[in-house]
Amino acid sequence: MEDIKNLIKFVVETFAEKKDEIEYEFEEKDTVIEVTVKLDPSDMGKVIGKQGKIAKALRTLVSASTPRGAKRYAVEIKEKV
């Protein structure tokens, strides 16, 4: 699980400019671990990418890195309020 967290943080922080303002929330449920990434509004477009390509790639990487039989990860990117 720690490897997946580090992967998510690495990808998000690669594209975000305000790295110190990023918040990560990991909530474990029955079969899913919900990951919420809260970003500064100015970083939203950079991390999501054109037509959501970076966000989709992040979700694909997380899915591919998750071992069989392990809980599934659901990554959500939100604007910090």
Side-chain angles (χ1 to χ4, degrees):
M1 183 169 154
E2 201 62 37
D3 292 336
I4 305 295
K5 287 181 183 180
N6 290 336
L7 175 67
I8 293 169
K9 289 180 181 181
F10 174 77
V11 173
V12 170
E13 290 175 5
T14 298
F15 294 100
E17 288 183 11
K18 298 181 180 178
K19 296 168 181 37
D20 55 329
E21 294 185 25
I22 302 171
E23 294 177 13
Y24 300 93
E25 294 177 6
F26 295 89
E27 187 177 337
E28 211 165 319
K29 297 198 174 178
D30 293 334
T31 59
V32 178
I33 298 174
E34 292 182 358
V35 182
T36 305
V37 181
K38 293 184 181 177
L39 300 167
D40 189 82
S42 64
D43 283 335
M44 287 295 290
K46 296 173 188 117
V47 174
I48 292 174
K50 286 188 178 180
Q51 298 177 349
K53 288 185 179 180
I54 295 172
K56 184 177 180 183
L58 172 63
R59 291 183 182 107
T60 302
L61 276 171
V62 169
S63 176
S65 301
T66 305
R68 277 185 196 237
K71 291 187 177 186
R72 192 173 59 84
Y73 283 81
V75 180
E76 189 173 347
I77 300 170
K78 291 185 175 181
E79 190 173 300
K80 196 192 300 188
V81 181

